[in-house]
């Protein structure tokens, strides 16, 4: 077979395709460079640009604000990590409660449904105020008073209702034949859920789950209304000093810098674990 | 891909970007008060001849007034007003008080009063509508709390360093909290003072840093058992209360001169000591 040679026609075809590819690449590159250059020149030559650059992109000011903003971000990160674990646990529990069958589980189903309805509907800020100022106002002994704890609790309540629905969608997307097959092999309902349904469901909902966690990371800043200083509040305090908005940009860059690696890491883990099964994935 | 249309789009973008409008000219007029030496009583342009008409809101709160009666000469603003009237040559009986709503005091237009005194901060924006005299009071930052809290009996700034304190974002109160008290715990920072009050009621924080007038209001009206811990040492910021006069009033320069005189001879400091410091807002060492 080694003496096989592509036909002249095939070679011509390949060469043509290569030429088209190169041509597309060159056009794309030139068009991108020209667009970026024109935008840079266009924005740079607007009369307000020096002021905008001074107000939003002052490197020196940003560098000065970085330690304070980063310290605030550390709070966001801690809140996010702790809440994320609780949200997954609570969300999954709620989703399972809601997918249980049989009349005996009716109260659990109705509770889970009511829970998701209420906390998905309530604006997060309202829940934060209710828990963060309302619960400490009860002056109950033994309950913590710290704003961070109650702010975190509000995040967990709200986000677990989103995540529960994501998990439920995953669970219900598993074809009934899977359950039927599992039961016919002698697995109990619990075992079916544990070994057949959930693993597939979780794989399928990985992207929307990640979406929720990126969102959580940003919303973790909302608990600043309770008085704690997160990255955005730290930037706000810096900005109030001299009305230079660069600290906000710094906070934005830090948030993005946190999100992008997280996304790539999840993609990598997903690929490694072969999580792109069932639904298709790279062919 | 249609190259021609792409180029057209780019060209449009550039034209739009470059043809952005030029910045506006910023011009500012400088008010020129007539510093004439015509402040003798008979030369003053008064609203009512022979009477010095002064407006303030009702109810008139302590410690700026006492017993809701501006005419008794007690309370800081009442006392300062009588001192100004005296240095302009009026007898106490010639000072006539009238009720003027806070917002009406600096609304544009003609006024019925010669001047208004109502804890009104001097600001450049308000100066467009009315005249201000020189400031008769520099707003000071204070720490407030509730009775029984761990900082309720604190006497010095140093003792506050261990407390969990709050302030409103973007205020000079926060700057004072950070720079004067230098707290060991991260301060709590709220969007509004009302949220800070809620947190204080909940005992989530030990105290709030606010300016003294707000402190008097919070401890009197918003908090049960509210208590002013004390005034922080004066900082560099200079928010001031001033008398409000009609825009372009011929009296402004004379009233300012009187206020400056009272400041120079120590009368203002003495009255602050008598009515503010002694009335529950001690100085923190």
């Amino acid at each position: 077979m080694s003496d096989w040679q592509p036909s002249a026609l095939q070679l011509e075809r390949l060469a043509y395709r290569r030429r088209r590819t190169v041509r597309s690449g060159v056009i794309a590159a030139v068009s991108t460079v020209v667009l970026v250059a024109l935008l840079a020149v266009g924005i740079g030559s607007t009369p307000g640009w020096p002021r905008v650059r001074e107000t939003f992109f002052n490197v020196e000011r940003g560098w000065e604000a970085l330690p304070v903003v980063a310290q605030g971000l550390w709070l966001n990160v801690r809140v996010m990590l702790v809440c994320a674990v609780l949200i997954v646990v609570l969300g999954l529990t709620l989703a399972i409660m809601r997918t249980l069958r049989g009349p005996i589980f009716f109260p659990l189903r109705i509770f889970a449904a009511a829970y998701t309805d209420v906390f998905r509907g309530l604006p997060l800020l309202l829940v934060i105020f209710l828990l963060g100022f309302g619960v400490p106002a009860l002056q109950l002994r033994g309950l913590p008073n710290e704003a961070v704890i109650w702010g975190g609790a509000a995040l967990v309540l709200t986000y677990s209702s989103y995540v529960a629905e994501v998990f439920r969608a995953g669970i219900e997307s598993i074809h009934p034949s899977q359950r039927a097959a599992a039961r016919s092999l002698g697995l109990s309902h619990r075992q079916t859920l544990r070994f057949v349904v959930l693993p597939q469901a979780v794989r399928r909902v990985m992207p929307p789950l990640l979406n929720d966690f990126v969102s959580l990371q940003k919303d973790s800043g909302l608990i600043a209304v309770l008085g704690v200083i997160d990255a955005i509040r730290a930037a706000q305090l810096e900005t109030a000093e001299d009305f230079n908005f660069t600290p906000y940009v710094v906070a934005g860059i830090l948030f993005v810098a946190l999100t992008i690696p997280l996304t790539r890491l999840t993609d990598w883990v997903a690929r490694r674990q072969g999580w792109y099964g069932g639904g298709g994935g790279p062919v | 891909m249609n190259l021609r249309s792409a180029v057209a789009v780019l060209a449009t973008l550039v034209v739009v970007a470059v043809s952005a409008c030029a910045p506006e000219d910023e011009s500012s007029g400088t008010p020129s008060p007539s510093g004439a030496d015509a402040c003798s009583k008979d030369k003053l342009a008064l609203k009512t001849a022979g009477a010095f008409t002064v407006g303030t809101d009702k109810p008139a709160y302590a410690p700026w007034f006492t017993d809701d009666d501006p005419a008794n000469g007690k309370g800081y603003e009442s006392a300062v007003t009588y001192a100004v009237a005296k240095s302009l040559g009026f007898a106490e009986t010639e000072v006539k008080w009238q009720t003027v709503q806070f917002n009406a005091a600096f609304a544009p237009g003609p006024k019925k009063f010669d001047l208004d005194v109502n804890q009104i901060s001097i600001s450049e924006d308000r100066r467009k509508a009315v005249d201000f005299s020189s400031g008769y009071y520099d707003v000071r930052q204070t720490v407030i709390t509730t009775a029984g809290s761990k900082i309720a009996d604190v006497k010095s700034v140093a003792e506050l360093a261990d407390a969990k304190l709050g302030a409103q974002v973007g205020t000079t109160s926060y700057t004072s909290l950070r720079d004067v008290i230098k707290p060991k715990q991260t301060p709590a920072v709220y969007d509004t003072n009302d949220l800070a009050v809620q947190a204080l009621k909940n005992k989530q924080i030990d105290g709030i840093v606010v300016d003294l007038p707000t402190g008097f209001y919070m401890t009197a009206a918003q908090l049960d058992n509210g208590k002013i811990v004390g005034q922080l040492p004066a900082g560099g910021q200079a928010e001031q209360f001033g008398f409000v006069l009609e825009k372009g009033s011929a009296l402004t320069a004379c009233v300012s001169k009187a206020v400056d005189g009272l400041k120079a001879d120590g009368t203002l400091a003495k009255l602050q000591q008598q009515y503010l410091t002694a009335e529950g807002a001690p100085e923190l060492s």
Side-chain angles (χ1 to χ4, degrees):
Chain A
M1 296 299 253
S2 58
D3 55 351
W4 176 81
Q5 290 289 327
S7 70
L9 184 63
Q10 174 66 4
L11 284 174
E12 195 186 320
R13 218 180 266 143
L14 288 174
Y16 176 75
R17 282 186 193 150
R18 211 175 298 122
R19 281 199 307 276
R20 298 306 292 184
T21 311
V22 170
R23 185 172 176 274
S24 302
V26 169
I27 292 176
V30 168
S31 132
T32 308
V33 168
V34 168
L35 178 63
V36 169
L38 287 179
L39 276 179
V41 171
I43 295 175
S45 64
T46 53
W49 170 244
R51 197 187 294 176
V52 169
R53 190 180 54 195
E54 174 58 29
T55 316
F56 288 91
F57 306 105
N58 184 332
V59 175
E60 240 171 71
R61 183 74 185 87
W63 196 245
E64 194 183 296
L66 184 63
V68 189
V69 176
Q71 205 187 347
L73 190 76
W74 175 229
L75 178 86
N76 292 87
V77 171
R78 281 177 298 170
V79 167
M80 181 190 68
L81 290 179
V82 173
C83 288
V85 174
L86 295 174
I87 288 166
V88 167
V89 173
L90 191 55
L92 192 55
T93 312
L94 284 163
I96 292 172
M97 274 161 74
R98 215 175 159 176
T99 46
L100 288 178
R101 285 161 206 185
I104 194 167
F105 295 120
F106 179 75
L108 288 185
R109 281 201 299 272
I110 203 82
F111 168 78
Y115 180 96
T116 43
D117 281 355
V118 168
F119 285 106
R120 236 172 12 152
L122 281 179
L124 177 55
L125 200 56
L126 191 78
V127 182
I128 289 177
F129 275 131
L130 271 178
L131 288 184
F133 285 135
V135 177
L138 297 174
Q139 299 283 313
L140 294 174
R141 272 177 209 285
L143 280 183
N145 231 353
E146 274 98 82
V148 183
I149 292 179
W150 290 110
L155 284 173
V156 170
L157 284 181
T158 303
Y159 268 86
S160 59
S161 66
Y162 296 139
V163 168
E165 287 298 276
V166 170
F167 274 131
R168 184 166 75 102
I171 291 171
E172 290 183 347
S173 75
I174 305 303
H175 199 270
S177 63
Q178 296 279 322
R179 285 173 187 271
R183 295 308 296 271
S184 73
L185 286 173
L187 271 66
S188 67
H189 182 92
R190 178 191 294 259
Q191 287 170 321
T192 307
L193 200 63
R194 166 77 183 78
F195 296 109
V196 179
V197 177
L198 281 185
Q200 300 185 71
V202 170
R203 281 174 203 183
R204 284 193 185 171
V205 298
M206 239 14 229
L209 272 188
L210 184 70
N211 227 10
D212 279 342
F213 286 128
V214 171
S215 188
L216 169 72
Q217 179 199 319
K218 290 177 293 181
D219 281 352
S220 66
L222 281 180
I223 64 173
V225 298
L226 300 180
V228 296
I229 299 181
D230 79 316
I232 301 292
R233 182 49 61 86
Q236 190 183 6
L237 289 169
E238 288 289 308
T239 299
E241 296 285 312
D242 54 3
F243 301 123
N244 188 313
F245 288 82
T246 309
Y248 279 121
V249 178
V250 171
I253 291 171
L254 289 182
F255 270 117
V256 172
L258 210 61
T259 318
I260 292 180
L262 188 67
T263 319
R264 296 291 163 270
L265 178 75
T266 319
D267 284 353
W268 181 76
V269 171
R271 215 171 297 121
R272 222 174 112 91
Q273 302 266 330
W275 281 5
Y276 287 128
V283 180
Chain B
M1 180 191 174
N2 187 337
L3 264 176
R4 204 167 300 164
S5 64
V7 170
V9 168
L10 289 181
T12 318
L13 266 175
V14 173
V15 170
V16 168
V18 174
S19 64
C21 47
E24 292 173 34
D25 272 356
E26 287 161 24
S27 60
S28 58
T30 42
S32 51
S34 56
D37 215 333
C39 291
S40 60
K41 186 183 164 191
D42 50 329
K43 287 187 187 164
L44 292 175
L46 299 168
K47 293 286 171 185
T48 311
F52 192 52
T53 316
V54 186
T56 194
D57 204 354
K58 191 173 181 66
Y61 288 105
W64 313 103
F65 298 96
T66 307
D67 303 330
D68 194 15
D69 177 17
N72 60 15
K74 293 179 188 160
Y76 180 70
E77 288 190 331
S78 180
V80 171
T81 306
Y82 278 102
V84 167
K86 190 179 165 196
S87 58
L88 288 173
F90 292 97
E92 281 188 23
T93 49
E94 289 173 304
V95 178
K96 304 291 180 208
W97 291 87
Q98 63 174 220
T99 303
V100 177
Q101 299 258 303
F102 180 81
N103 288 324
F106 48 85
K111 312 286 183 207
K112 286 182 291 181
F113 51 78
D114 290 320
L115 55 82
D116 187 86
V117 54
N118 200 6
Q119 303 121 60
I120 298 172
S121 295
I122 299 171
S123 85
E124 289 310 310
D125 279 341
R126 290 170 174 178
R127 225 187 263 281
K128 289 172 192 160
V130 291
D131 276 4
F132 281 104
S133 72
S134 302
Y136 57 85
Y137 173 71
D138 292 345
V139 176
R140 294 272 300 275
Q141 298 300 325
T142 54
V143 180
I144 68 160
T145 186
T146 46
S149 100
K150 72 177 195 184
I151 61 165
D153 298 315
V154 160
K155 297 274 180 282
S156 72
V157 174
E159 293 173 77
L160 290 169
D162 288 323
K164 176 87 177 170
L165 296 172
Q168 188 182 335
V169 66
T171 56
T172 45
S173 304
Y174 172 75
T175 326
S176 302
L177 167 56
R178 188 192 57 193
D179 297 341
V180 179
I181 299 179
K182 300 193 175 70
K184 288 182 190 143
Q185 296 189 56
T186 316
V189 183
Y190 299 93
D191 287 326
T192 66
N193 270 328
D194 292 341
L195 293 178
V197 167
Q198 185 60 48
L200 179 61
K201 282 181 179 171
N202 289 349
K203 304 191 196 308
Q204 289 167 302
I205 51 177
D206 298 320
I208 311 174
V209 180
V210 284
D211 56 64
L212 182 59
T214 314
F216 276 125
Y217 173 70
M218 282 179 174
T219 49
Q222 289 187 292
L223 290 165
D224 304 326
N225 302 320
K227 184 177 192 301
I228 293 180
V229 178
Q231 306 185 46
L232 296 177
Q237 56 91 22
E239 185 184 344
Q240 291 184 313
F241 289 164
F243 291 107
V244 168
L245 297 95
E246 192 174 303
K247 180 80 179 166
S249 168
L251 270 177
T252 308
C254 295
V255 174
S256 286
K257 209 175 133 195
V259 171
D260 292 342
L262 292 172
K263 191 180 281 177
D265 69 11
T267 308
L268 292 185
K270 201 187 92 213
L271 293 174
Q272 280 171 24
Q273 171 68 28
Q274 180 179 353
Y275 290 109
L276 303 179
T277 309
E279 288 291 316
E283 302 266 351
L284 292 172
S285 56

